[in-house]
Amino acid sequence: MSLLVLGINHKTASVALRERVAFGPDIAPKALQELIGTQGVEEAVIVSTCNRTELYCCLDPQGQSDAVRHWLQHFHHLDEDELTSCLYQHQGEEAVRHLMRVACGLDSLVLGEPQILGQIKQAYSQSHQAGGLKGILERLFQKSFSVAKRVRTETEIGASAVSVAFAAVSLAKRIFSDLGRTRVLLVGAGETVELVARHLKEQSVTRMTVANRTLERAQNLAREFEAEVITLEQIPEHLPQADIVISSTASPLPIIGKGMVERALKVRRHQPILLVDIAVPRDIEPEVDELNDAYLYTVDDLQGIIEQNLEARRRAAGQAERIILEERDQFMGWFRSLKSVDLIRDYRHGAERMREQELGRALQALDQGEDPAKIMTELARRLTNKLIHTPTQALAQAGKDGDQELLAVLAHSLGLGQR
């Protein structure tokens, strides 16, 4: 048996090619059945995300990586040169290390991101349902899940914010000890604001208001997070109730001005407001930062936080790599032991056949009334000769060839020279 990984990712292929090589939920079950049915493929898992498509295979002794590559090419009707130029391949212990690195987020576009682990678990589950796991890949994927958990526990790989949305919420968390007690005004309803809302919900924020130019888009977002919806024109009357304002729109001009914030602070009796402007161009006038009790942060401020946190993640990644090498070696030890298990089984079966043959011969002689002592002596002699025949031949041949290394291995295996 051998382990193989074939794949493309955000580092080797364009978005256009990654889209063509992707396995959506509608075709993944059929693709798995076909891949498992490919000659030489014993087990298979297909991992397909927006940033990568990877085939994890356990091949029988006749299995070839070319067969897997040809299957991928034909399944998606791809040009061979186009695919091959973007394809990477890992085998054996490098395949094991690669899966562990992917599961830990070390091979991701955003270093240390946790979403990939859930996507790998989903791919594992799909393969399990399709009958694509028979033991080796099942153990490898389970091992990778435990490695990812260990890396998250023993390192700081996921502790620091490295996205603008996460950094904005992390900043708010630094300033307000209990975000669950704050009121948040989100300006805009795009993807970034949606991510902000998701992170806020994870921090137990329940009082959110979404302000947007069109109410329909804001209502779709508000339903998911049980938020209130207002128009941009209503911001001045709702701003005094907001402890935190996070804004990200595509407006060419500022939406929140210095005068608007100043009036809100008077109504709040100068209770502070945190304003985070992650829009380019800016949504909030920079002069707001001149006001007492108004704390304004821009995307540039967040970028500094993100860069510091990325450096912390890079240091944690070094620790994670050491953990992965340790866990890889453990898995490979188990994987290599499978070959010895087969040899031991065959050796025992051969010895048991000799025993049964000689025991049958001895019992037959006893039934015929022959001398028991003579029968037992002959049984012991014949059984001993049969058991030592093959090792004796191997020792004699190694001596004839002058192979001292093989002689030493045989001597150790047979327990010679140990008394």
Short mmCIF file of all heavy atoms in Angstrom, two decimals, residues 32 41 113 120 126 149 194 196 253 259 285 308 347 355 396 419:
data_model
loop_
_atom_site.label_atom_id
_atom_site.label_comp_id
_atom_site.label_asym_id
_atom_site.label_seq_id
_atom_site.Cartn_x
_atom_site.Cartn_y
_atom_site.Cartn_z
N LEU A 32 -16.55 10.52 -6.16
CA LEU A 32 -15.93 9.59 -5.21
C LEU A 32 -16.06 8.15 -5.67
O LEU A 32 -15.11 7.36 -5.62
CB LEU A 32 -16.56 9.76 -3.83
CG LEU A 32 -15.85 10.68 -2.85
CD1 LEU A 32 -16.71 10.89 -1.61
CD2 LEU A 32 -14.49 10.11 -2.46
N VAL A 41 -6.76 2.09 -6.94
CA VAL A 41 -7.19 2.94 -5.82
C VAL A 41 -8.00 2.11 -4.83
O VAL A 41 -9.07 1.61 -5.15
CB VAL A 41 -8.02 4.15 -6.32
CG1 VAL A 41 -8.50 4.97 -5.12
CG2 VAL A 41 -7.19 5.02 -7.26
N GLU A 113 -6.10 29.76 9.70
CA GLU A 113 -7.58 29.87 9.71
C GLU A 113 -8.20 28.52 10.05
O GLU A 113 -7.72 27.47 9.61
CB GLU A 113 -8.08 30.41 8.37
CG GLU A 113 -7.73 29.55 7.15
CD GLU A 113 -8.79 28.52 6.84
OE1 GLU A 113 -9.84 28.52 7.49
OE2 GLU A 113 -8.54 27.68 5.96
N ILE A 120 -12.42 19.68 5.84
CA ILE A 120 -11.78 18.37 5.72
C ILE A 120 -12.63 17.30 6.42
O ILE A 120 -12.78 16.19 5.91
CB ILE A 120 -10.35 18.40 6.31
CG1 ILE A 120 -9.46 19.29 5.46
CG2 ILE A 120 -9.76 17.00 6.39
CD1 ILE A 120 -8.07 19.49 6.04
N GLN A 126 -18.10 12.46 3.82
CA GLN A 126 -18.62 12.08 2.50
C GLN A 126 -17.98 10.79 2.00
O GLN A 126 -18.66 9.92 1.46
CB GLN A 126 -18.37 13.21 1.50
CG GLN A 126 -19.25 14.43 1.69
CD GLN A 126 -18.89 15.55 0.74
OE1 GLN A 126 -17.80 15.60 0.18
NE2 GLN A 126 -19.82 16.49 0.54
N LYS A 149 -6.23 19.59 16.64
CA LYS A 149 -6.69 19.94 17.98
C LYS A 149 -5.50 20.21 18.90
O LYS A 149 -5.50 21.17 19.69
CB LYS A 149 -7.56 18.82 18.56
CG LYS A 149 -8.12 19.12 19.94
CD LYS A 149 -9.00 17.99 20.44
CE LYS A 149 -9.56 18.31 21.83
NZ LYS A 149 -10.40 17.20 22.34
N GLU A 194 -21.06 41.40 7.26
CA GLU A 194 -21.63 40.10 7.64
C GLU A 194 -20.65 39.32 8.51
O GLU A 194 -21.04 38.70 9.51
CB GLU A 194 -21.97 39.30 6.38
CG GLU A 194 -22.63 37.96 6.69
CD GLU A 194 -22.99 37.19 5.43
OE1 GLU A 194 -22.97 37.78 4.34
OE2 GLU A 194 -23.29 35.99 5.55
N VAL A 196 -18.28 40.63 10.36
CA VAL A 196 -18.25 41.34 11.64
C VAL A 196 -19.41 40.89 12.53
O VAL A 196 -19.24 40.60 13.71
CB VAL A 196 -18.29 42.87 11.43
CG1 VAL A 196 -18.53 43.59 12.75
CG2 VAL A 196 -16.99 43.36 10.80
N LEU A 253 -18.38 59.16 -0.43
CA LEU A 253 -18.27 60.27 0.52
C LEU A 253 -18.56 59.77 1.94
O LEU A 253 -19.28 58.78 2.13
CB LEU A 253 -19.27 61.37 0.16
CG LEU A 253 -19.06 62.04 -1.20
CD1 LEU A 253 -20.22 62.98 -1.49
CD2 LEU A 253 -17.74 62.80 -1.22
N GLY A 259 -19.90 66.56 13.15
CA GLY A 259 -21.05 67.17 13.82
C GLY A 259 -22.05 66.14 14.30
O GLY A 259 -22.60 66.26 15.41
N GLU A 285 -15.72 60.74 8.84
CA GLU A 285 -14.78 61.85 8.70
C GLU A 285 -13.63 61.71 9.70
O GLU A 285 -13.88 61.46 10.89
CB GLU A 285 -15.50 63.18 8.93
CG GLU A 285 -16.43 63.57 7.80
CD GLU A 285 -17.08 64.93 8.04
OE1 GLU A 285 -16.94 65.46 9.17
OE2 GLU A 285 -17.72 65.46 7.11
N GLN A 308 0.95 42.61 13.30
CA GLN A 308 1.51 42.11 14.56
C GLN A 308 1.02 40.69 14.85
O GLN A 308 1.78 39.82 15.27
CB GLN A 308 1.11 43.03 15.72
CG GLN A 308 1.80 44.38 15.71
CD GLN A 308 1.30 45.27 16.84
OE1 GLN A 308 0.48 44.85 17.66
NE2 GLN A 308 1.78 46.49 16.88
N TYR A 347 4.15 -16.00 8.43
CA TYR A 347 5.15 -16.86 9.08
C TYR A 347 4.48 -17.80 10.09
O TYR A 347 4.78 -19.00 10.15
CB TYR A 347 6.19 -15.98 9.78
CG TYR A 347 7.31 -16.75 10.43
CD1 TYR A 347 8.19 -17.51 9.66
CD2 TYR A 347 7.50 -16.72 11.81
CE1 TYR A 347 9.23 -18.23 10.25
CE2 TYR A 347 8.53 -17.43 12.41
CZ TYR A 347 9.39 -18.17 11.63
OH TYR A 347 10.41 -18.89 12.22
N ARG A 355 3.36 -27.79 11.99
CA ARG A 355 2.98 -28.45 13.24
C ARG A 355 1.86 -29.45 13.03
O ARG A 355 1.91 -30.60 13.51
CB ARG A 355 2.56 -27.38 14.26
CG ARG A 355 2.16 -27.96 15.63
CD ARG A 355 1.43 -26.92 16.44
NE ARG A 355 0.16 -26.58 15.82
CZ ARG A 355 -0.56 -25.52 16.15
NH1 ARG A 355 -0.12 -24.67 17.05
NH2 ARG A 355 -1.72 -25.27 15.55
N ALA A 396 23.54 -19.55 5.49
CA ALA A 396 24.58 -20.11 4.63
C ALA A 396 24.83 -19.23 3.41
O ALA A 396 25.97 -18.97 3.03
CB ALA A 396 24.19 -21.52 4.20
N ARG A 419 23.60 -15.19 24.33
CA ARG A 419 23.81 -15.83 25.63
C ARG A 419 25.17 -15.47 26.19
O ARG A 419 26.11 -15.24 25.45
CB ARG A 419 23.67 -17.35 25.51
CG ARG A 419 22.22 -17.78 25.19
CD ARG A 419 22.07 -19.28 25.25
NE ARG A 419 22.86 -19.95 24.22
CZ ARG A 419 22.44 -20.12 22.96
NH1 ARG A 419 21.25 -19.68 22.60
NH2 ARG A 419 23.19 -20.72 22.09
#
